[in-house]
Amino acid sequence: MEVIDVLQEASKRVFENVKNLAGTSDAAGDYGRGAGGDISRKIDIVAEKTVLDYFKEINFECIVLGEECGRVELSKNPRGFVIMDAIDGSANAVRGIPFFCCSLAFATDDKISSITDGVVTDLSSGDQYWASQGKGAFLNERKIHVQEKEPIYRIVGINMSGASPELVKRLQLIFKSHNHTRHFGANALEMAFFARGLFDIFIDWRDKIRIQDIAAGYLLIKEAGGLMLDANLKPLDSDLSYQTRLSFIAAANEKILHDVMSQVKK
Ligand code: IPD
Ligand code: CA
C-alpha cells in the first residue's frame, strides 16, 4: 500500500467516525491540554484515535506527531513521520460550523521540506484534497491548480484570529483596498481551497500556526503550483518540533504576491 493510500483511508475513517458528532454538546467534552497547547475536545480525541487505531491495524511503521497525543512511536524501525491534525478547525467542529477538516502529512525527515504526501479531508462533505511529491495535487479524482488567470474578484484569505494590534495595522491597506478578504477558521482547509484556485493569496502572519495545521496544506500548495513563503518571502521550511510556530504567505504567482505586498506597511 502506498503512503498516500494509507493517509486517505485513515482520514476517510475519521470522516465516518465524526460526522454525527460535530456540533453536538458531546463533541465539546474537555480532555485537558493536548501536546499542541490547546484544550483537546472529545471530537479531537475520537478523530486521533481513529487514525492511530488504523495505523496499528495495518502495522504502518511510523512516528506520529499528533496535535493532541504528541509523539507516538508506532515502530522501532519507522519509515518516517505522520504529522497529524486529526481535526483542524476544532472550534468550528464543536460549534457545528461546517468548515473543519482532517489534515495528515507524511515526512521522511524532521523537516517540512521533506513532506512527500498530504491529505486534507473536508469533514463536512468528505471531499479529499491530496498530493504526492512530484505527482501533482488533486480534489478527489480531479487534478487541481492554483488560480492562473486574473480573477474577477480577488479573494485574499487572511487569518486574523488573535492577531496583534501591530499586525492589524500593518495589513490595514489590504482590508481597505479592493480585495475581498476571507477567514473561515481552519487553516488546512483554507490552504486546500487556495490550492484549488478559490483564493488568490493566503496570509497567516500571526507567528502562531503549528506544523500540524499546515503540513498537508504545504504540499498541496506546492504541488498545485503555488508559492509557499515565510514572512521574509523566502521558501518556507522549518523543523517539525512542537515548539515551532510559523508565519507564512501562499501566493498563486509572483504578480499577485507583489501586488498584495505593496499594500503591506513596512
Ligand atoms: C486552528 C485553525 C485556525 C487557526 C488556529 C489553529 P485547530 O487549528 O487552523 O484556523 O486560526 O491558529 O490553531 O486548533 O482547530 O487544529
Ligand atoms: Ca486540531
Side-chain angles (χ1 to χ4, degrees), residues 38 67 85 87-91 159 161 183 185-188 190 206 209-210 213:
D38 292 343
E67 191 172 288
D85 190 0
I87 303 283
D88 180 52
S90 299
N159 192 335
S161 185
H183 173 219
N187 248 63
E190 285 161 291
R206 301 167 303 148
I209 207 74
R210 288 171 293 236
D213 299 311

Side-chain angles (χ1 to χ4, degrees), residues 92-247:
N92 285 352
V94 166
R95 291 296 305 270
I97 297 169
F99 197 87
F100 56 101
C101 65
C102 173
S103 169
L104 300 174
F106 184 84
T108 51
D109 214 336
D110 183 29
K111 284 218 149 291
I112 293 187
S113 52
S114 80
I115 294 172
T116 58
D117 298 271
V119 178
V120 171
T121 298
D122 180 333
L123 295 175
S124 300
S125 64
D127 276 343
Q128 282 197 334
Y129 299 83
W130 56 279
S132 290
Q133 199 175 43
K135 295 186 181 158
F138 298 81
L139 163 54
N140 300 323
E141 303 306 318
R142 178 168 68 83
K143 200 156 189 178
I144 55 174
H145 203 275
V146 297
Q147 179 66 245
E148 284 177 303
K149 292 179 279 194
E150 190 57 38
I152 303 172
Y153 298 108
R154 178 187 285 169
I155 307 291
V156 176
I158 186 160
N159 192 335
M160 294 303 277
S161 185
S164 65
E166 293 73 33
L167 182 59
V168 175
K169 255 194 208 151
R170 277 192 78 200
L171 300 182
Q172 221 169 43
L173 262 182
I174 296 183
F175 291 103
K176 272 175 81 179
S177 59
H178 294 295
N179 301 305
H180 297 265
T181 55
R182 300 287 183 271
H183 173 219
F184 299 147
N187 248 63
L189 193 51
E190 285 161 291
M191 291 168 86
F193 273 30
F194 170 82
R196 184 184 164 184
L198 302 184
F199 296 172
D200 305 298
I201 199 153
F202 187 84
I203 303 168
D204 186 346
W205 274 354
R206 301 167 303 148
D207 290 333
K208 280 186 185 208
I209 207 74
R210 288 171 293 236
I211 302 297
Q212 278 74 11
D213 299 311
I214 64 161
Y218 164 88
L219 189 66
L220 280 172
I221 289 172
K222 292 199 65 157
E223 288 295 324
L227 302 166
M228 259 311 266
L229 307 171
D230 64 21
N232 297 315
L233 306 187
K234 299 274 180 284
L236 183 81
D237 202 2
S238 90
D239 57 32
L240 304 180
S241 113
Y242 278 88
Q243 280 70 48
T244 301
R245 293 288 184 275
L246 297 171
S247 279

Side-chain angles (χ1 to χ4, degrees), residues 247-260:
S247 279
F248 74 93
I249 181 164
N253 52 55
E254 294 284 352
K255 180 184 178 303
I256 184 139
L257 178 67
H258 183 264
D259 284 359
V260 173

Side-chain angles (χ1 to χ4, degrees), residues 18-31:
V18 306
K19 67 179 177 204
N20 296 321
L21 191 55
T24 66
S25 52
D26 197 22
D30 185 336
Y31 281 69

